[in-house]
Amino acid sequence: MDASKLLAGFEQRYGTSSAPVRFFHAPGRVNLIGEHIDYNGGYVLPAALEFGTTLIIREREDQCIRLATTNFEYQLDIELDALAEAKQDQWTDYPIGVMNQLEQSARGLTRGYELLFHGDIPNGAGLSSSASLEVVTAYALLTMEGHSIDRTDIAVLSQRAENQFVGVNCGIMDQFAVSQGKLDHAILLMCDTLEYTHVPFQTEGYCLIIGNTNKRRGLVDSKYNERRAQCDEAVRALQATYPHMTLLAQLTAEQFEAAADTIADDIVRARAAHVIAEHDRVKQSVEALKNNDLIRFGELMNASHDSLRDLYEVSCNELDIMVEEARHIEGTLGSRMTGAGFGGCTVSLVREGDAEQFVAQVGSAYEQQTGLHPEFYICRVGDGVREIKPSIQTATIGEEW
Ligand code: GLA
């Protein structure tokens, strides 16, 4: 992100004013392990990335909210009292959803603002560009309005904005990771209670490589909702044995084994089996990371992918090919799909010395088999949402984006 260029773009759109501009940044996220566990009430282990969404914001003297982004043409000017009705089926639904949530929690905006966003997370790749957009909006507006900052509260209100205003029934993991991320740490989050700890993610000699299949994630919302419904169905069946359970991740592997037969439908039983085993893998992963046992962690990543492919059935041909090719590289300890699935990205743990070969070899084999051109990001785990004070070179007003 070039702050000078962003400021120039801001002033080109909104002009200059005596009010100061402020910069905020929220990352994207990658989930290391614990997939499709958040809405089942268990542990997940995501991490914030170094790339994300930057927001430049300035207050106005009137009641107008002006929204624009460098990523899409669409922009919107809207009065504060029209926010509740401002759903446009556009990217602006994310920040406006957040503004409505602030209003509902008695922290409604007291004045207008000019906002310009710039995202460098590839869109639709499953790296949480939407959570990043929501969280940066919430953090910036709470700061501008002089409210206290509670990162868990920001995650929860951003998730609500997505559930209620945008209309996507996601869990809490993405917004939480974007909000609570910490440099060189993964976040171990218990999704039922929102208790969390930062787990050091030091992978001496190894790096994380995110592989973007560039396969558009088709039908992801409907399939996602179908998986959620199947988990609910599994809970209802298991309640015959465990009347007090409300979420799948409340059962241990042994408890599940003992009652799995009460789930009549084979597919629903397979979905539940994934959740139970994946939840166990998250706990084992944390142990492995504590013991610096990256080989074990890699094995767990591999097992996670295989379960998402065979039991939960949220992978796709493109993800499977990329994972298979990644595993052919000698320095790969583990490789799996990350996020909701049906396209998007893989994450692999790879020996640093083999990263270049990984990108070249996996890239060409993938392209040959799918006809799609992939992208790879060798990434470090970054910090959560924050205000930033970039050094601004002379802004060249009028420069084109
Ligand atoms: C998407 C959702 C998350 C989570 C993952 C799957 O990213 O937004 O809440 O359910 O899928 O782990």
Side-chain angles (χ1 to χ4, degrees), residues 292-303:
N292 231 337
D293 188 351
L294 292 184
I295 293 181
R296 178 70 190 135
F297 181 56
E299 288 167 1
L300 292 162
M301 289 173 80
N302 286 338

PDB file of all heavy atoms in Angstrom, residues 292-303:
ATOM      1  N   ASN A 292       7.301 -27.350  19.207  1.00  0.00           N
ATOM      2  CA  ASN A 292       8.095 -27.052  18.008  1.00  0.00           C
ATOM      3  C   ASN A 292       8.157 -28.228  17.050  1.00  0.00           C
ATOM      4  O   ASN A 292       9.140 -28.417  16.341  1.00  0.00           O
ATOM      5  CB  ASN A 292       9.512 -26.666  18.431  1.00  0.00           C
ATOM      6  CG  ASN A 292       9.888 -25.359  17.779  1.00  0.00           C
ATOM      7  OD1 ASN A 292       9.298 -25.001  16.746  1.00  0.00           O
ATOM      8  ND2 ASN A 292      10.846 -24.665  18.346  1.00  0.00           N
ATOM      9  N   ASP A 293       7.106 -29.037  17.047  1.00  0.00           N
ATOM     10  CA  ASP A 293       7.086 -30.239  16.209  1.00  0.00           C
ATOM     11  C   ASP A 293       6.331 -29.929  14.914  1.00  0.00           C
ATOM     12  O   ASP A 293       5.159 -30.260  14.749  1.00  0.00           O
ATOM     13  CB  ASP A 293       6.402 -31.374  17.003  1.00  0.00           C
ATOM     14  CG  ASP A 293       6.500 -32.706  16.293  1.00  0.00           C
ATOM     15  OD1 ASP A 293       6.943 -32.725  15.120  1.00  0.00           O
ATOM     16  OD2 ASP A 293       6.122 -33.716  16.908  1.00  0.00           O
ATOM     17  N   LEU A 294       7.037 -29.309  13.986  1.00  0.00           N
ATOM     18  CA  LEU A 294       6.378 -28.881  12.744  1.00  0.00           C
ATOM     19  C   LEU A 294       6.014 -30.072  11.860  1.00  0.00           C
ATOM     20  O   LEU A 294       5.071 -30.002  11.067  1.00  0.00           O
ATOM     21  CB  LEU A 294       7.275 -27.904  11.985  1.00  0.00           C
ATOM     22  CG  LEU A 294       7.481 -26.542  12.655  1.00  0.00           C
ATOM     23  CD1 LEU A 294       8.316 -25.634  11.763  1.00  0.00           C
ATOM     24  CD2 LEU A 294       6.146 -25.864  12.968  1.00  0.00           C
ATOM     25  N   ILE A 295       6.756 -31.158  12.015  1.00  0.00           N
ATOM     26  CA  ILE A 295       6.428 -32.343  11.199  1.00  0.00           C
ATOM     27  C   ILE A 295       5.039 -32.856  11.576  1.00  0.00           C
ATOM     28  O   ILE A 295       4.195 -33.115  10.726  1.00  0.00           O
ATOM     29  CB  ILE A 295       7.512 -33.431  11.387  1.00  0.00           C
ATOM     30  CG1 ILE A 295       8.801 -32.898  10.768  1.00  0.00           C
ATOM     31  CG2 ILE A 295       7.082 -34.763  10.775  1.00  0.00           C
ATOM     32  CD1 ILE A 295       9.978 -33.814  10.825  1.00  0.00           C
ATOM     33  N   ARG A 296       4.801 -32.922  12.879  1.00  0.00           N
ATOM     34  CA  ARG A 296       3.477 -33.365  13.351  1.00  0.00           C
ATOM     35  C   ARG A 296       2.392 -32.374  12.901  1.00  0.00           C
ATOM     36  O   ARG A 296       1.313 -32.768  12.449  1.00  0.00           O
ATOM     37  CB  ARG A 296       3.503 -33.471  14.885  1.00  0.00           C
ATOM     38  CG  ARG A 296       2.190 -33.862  15.517  1.00  0.00           C
ATOM     39  CD  ARG A 296       1.830 -35.321  15.209  1.00  0.00           C
ATOM     40  NE  ARG A 296       0.468 -35.637  15.606  1.00  0.00           N
ATOM     41  CZ  ARG A 296      -0.383 -36.318  14.855  1.00  0.00           C
ATOM     42  NH1 ARG A 296      -0.036 -36.744  13.652  1.00  0.00           N
ATOM     43  NH2 ARG A 296      -1.590 -36.592  15.287  1.00  0.00           N
ATOM     44  N   PHE A 297       2.692 -31.104  13.008  1.00  0.00           N
ATOM     45  CA  PHE A 297       1.711 -30.096  12.594  1.00  0.00           C
ATOM     46  C   PHE A 297       1.370 -30.267  11.106  1.00  0.00           C
ATOM     47  O   PHE A 297       0.207 -30.202  10.706  1.00  0.00           O
ATOM     48  CB  PHE A 297       2.253 -28.686  12.886  1.00  0.00           C
ATOM     49  CG  PHE A 297       1.290 -27.597  12.520  1.00  0.00           C
ATOM     50  CD1 PHE A 297       0.001 -27.576  13.040  1.00  0.00           C
ATOM     51  CD2 PHE A 297       1.655 -26.598  11.629  1.00  0.00           C
ATOM     52  CE1 PHE A 297      -0.903 -26.578  12.687  1.00  0.00           C
ATOM     53  CE2 PHE A 297       0.762 -25.592  11.273  1.00  0.00           C
ATOM     54  CZ  PHE A 297      -0.520 -25.590  11.798  1.00  0.00           C
ATOM     55  N   GLY A 298       2.395 -30.527  10.308  1.00  0.00           N
ATOM     56  CA  GLY A 298       2.172 -30.748   8.875  1.00  0.00           C
ATOM     57  C   GLY A 298       1.286 -31.961   8.623  1.00  0.00           C
ATOM     58  O   GLY A 298       0.383 -31.932   7.761  1.00  0.00           O
ATOM     59  N   GLU A 299       1.498 -33.021   9.394  1.00  0.00           N
ATOM     60  CA  GLU A 299       0.660 -34.228   9.221  1.00  0.00           C
ATOM     61  C   GLU A 299      -0.797 -33.899   9.527  1.00  0.00           C
ATOM     62  O   GLU A 299      -1.715 -34.373   8.860  1.00  0.00           O
ATOM     63  CB  GLU A 299       1.115 -35.337  10.188  1.00  0.00           C
ATOM     64  CG  GLU A 299       2.439 -35.978   9.820  1.00  0.00           C
ATOM     65  CD  GLU A 299       3.006 -36.841  10.954  1.00  0.00           C
ATOM     66  OE1 GLU A 299       2.377 -36.974  12.044  1.00  0.00           O
ATOM     67  OE2 GLU A 299       4.107 -37.375  10.743  1.00  0.00           O
ATOM     68  N   LEU A 300      -0.989 -33.089  10.559  1.00  0.00           N
ATOM     69  CA  LEU A 300      -2.364 -32.723  10.939  1.00  0.00           C
ATOM     70  C   LEU A 300      -3.010 -31.861   9.851  1.00  0.00           C
ATOM     71  O   LEU A 300      -4.205 -32.003   9.557  1.00  0.00           O
ATOM     72  CB  LEU A 300      -2.352 -32.002  12.290  1.00  0.00           C
ATOM     73  CG  LEU A 300      -1.958 -32.896  13.481  1.00  0.00           C
ATOM     74  CD1 LEU A 300      -1.530 -32.055  14.681  1.00  0.00           C
ATOM     75  CD2 LEU A 300      -3.116 -33.827  13.868  1.00  0.00           C
ATOM     76  N   MET A 301      -2.215 -30.982   9.242  1.00  0.00           N
ATOM     77  CA  MET A 301      -2.752 -30.183   8.127  1.00  0.00           C
ATOM     78  C   MET A 301      -3.212 -31.106   6.997  1.00  0.00           C
ATOM     79  O   MET A 301      -4.294 -30.927   6.414  1.00  0.00           O
ATOM     80  CB  MET A 301      -1.676 -29.230   7.573  1.00  0.00           C
ATOM     81  CG  MET A 301      -1.313 -28.084   8.478  1.00  0.00           C
ATOM     82  SD  MET A 301       0.091 -27.142   7.814  1.00  0.00           S
ATOM     83  CE  MET A 301      -0.705 -26.125   6.585  1.00  0.00           C
ATOM     84  N   ASN A 302      -2.382 -32.089   6.688  1.00  0.00           N
ATOM     85  CA  ASN A 302      -2.742 -33.028   5.617  1.00  0.00           C
ATOM     86  C   ASN A 302      -4.035 -33.782   5.948  1.00  0.00           C
ATOM     87  O   ASN A 302      -4.924 -33.926   5.105  1.00  0.00           O
ATOM     88  CB  ASN A 302      -1.613 -34.043   5.402  1.00  0.00           C
ATOM     89  CG  ASN A 302      -0.429 -33.423   4.686  1.00  0.00           C
ATOM     90  OD1 ASN A 302      -0.565 -32.406   3.999  1.00  0.00           O
ATOM     91  ND2 ASN A 302       0.746 -34.030   4.832  1.00  0.00           N
ATOM     92  N   ALA A 303      -4.118 -34.251   7.193  1.00  0.00           N
ATOM     93  CA  ALA A 303      -5.313 -35.007   7.597  1.00  0.00           C
ATOM     94  C   ALA A 303      -6.549 -34.111   7.529  1.00  0.00           C
ATOM     95  O   ALA A 303      -7.646 -34.553   7.159  1.00  0.00           O
ATOM     96  CB  ALA A 303      -5.131 -35.554   9.006  1.00  0.00           C
TER      97      ALA A 303
END
